[in-house]
Amino acid sequence: MAKGLFLTFEGCDGCGKTTVLHHVSKLLAEKGIPFLLTREPGGSHIAEQIRNIILDRKNVAMDPRCEALLYAASRRQHLVEIVLPALEKGMLVLSDRYLDSSLAYQGHAREIGMEEVYSINLFAIDGRLPDLTFFLDLSPEEGLLRIRQSADREINRLDLEKENFHKKVYEGYKILLEKYPDRIIRIDARQSIEEESRQIVDIILQRIKD
Ligand code: TYD
């Protein structure tokens, strides 16, 4: 098993994950702790190309299982090319999304089934689960509100469809929280970015000490 610490960050769209990660990175850098910040889908040249296929708006005909396989393929490449080498060097790796995104989005929200999505992902990650996962808990209603406020636009039909989808994603994450209480830590995302980040960094520092 690799020597470093593999931490993943999860949450619904609009939960502020990227901003929090930016802040957490700043705090870790101030403390002189070396780390690698990366993201999914993407994070490496090949994985980014797969990301473009998945997120391309023209690919509306994409089958849900095809989507799940592409996420898993992108994850595999990112893991082998970026995450594992850094862990081998004993580094702290922070990944913006990982396995649990597929379980919540494809498994639960797209209704493929969490077990099915887990099994294809187990093949992709070859058993490399995160050491710790932070779930930034913000209700989908609040998340979408934040997205709309920042985008400053009107609610359209797609937004409404999305609302139902995001409710299911949130439901999926809640199931995962219950299923993996030792691995997934819930962070209240209604706190200020500073408080949230401090809480996360404290947990990371404790983990490093242990
Ligand atoms: P991105 O622009 O990176 O959004 P975010 O900042 O919220 O991570 O787009 C990633 C989208 O892909 C996001 O809506 C979540 C979704 N996703 C899945 O559906 N399954 C997955 O396995 C992953 C990693 C992401």
Side-chain angles (χ1 to χ4, degrees), residues 114-130:
M114 281 195 177
E115 294 304 322
E116 279 82 350
V117 174
Y118 188 73
S119 66
I120 61 156
N121 272 276
L122 217 51
F123 172 71
I125 66 174
D126 200 14
R128 192 42 170 114
L129 290 169

Side-chain angles (χ1 to χ4, degrees), residues 118-197:
Y118 188 73
S119 66
I120 61 156
N121 272 276
L122 217 51
F123 172 71
I125 66 174
D126 200 14
R128 192 42 170 114
L129 290 169
D131 296 307
L132 210 59
T133 298
F134 293 99
F135 168 59
L136 307 195
D137 189 350
L138 189 75
S139 74
E141 292 82 7
E142 286 170 282
L144 286 176
L145 199 70
R146 278 192 193 173
I147 292 174
R148 281 173 203 152
Q149 279 169 348
S150 64
D152 196 23
R153 60 188 171 84
E154 284 185 9
I155 303 164
N156 61 29
R157 185 183 58 82
L158 275 179
D159 285 325
L160 291 176
E161 258 182 31
K162 251 184 165 175
E163 203 157 304
N164 242 338
F165 180 72
H166 288 288
K167 271 187 192 151
K168 294 211 72 179
V169 171
Y170 187 65
E171 223 176 72
Y173 276 125
K174 287 285 159 120
I175 294 170
L176 292 169
L177 257 178
E178 281 205 9
K179 206 166 170 182
Y180 305 107
D182 296 336
R183 176 172 66 81
I184 308 181
I185 296 177
R186 178 189 168 273
I187 302 288
D188 186 350
R190 282 169 309 173
Q191 305 175 82
S192 71
I193 298 288
E194 287 75 17
E195 273 175 88
E196 237 178 291
S197 308

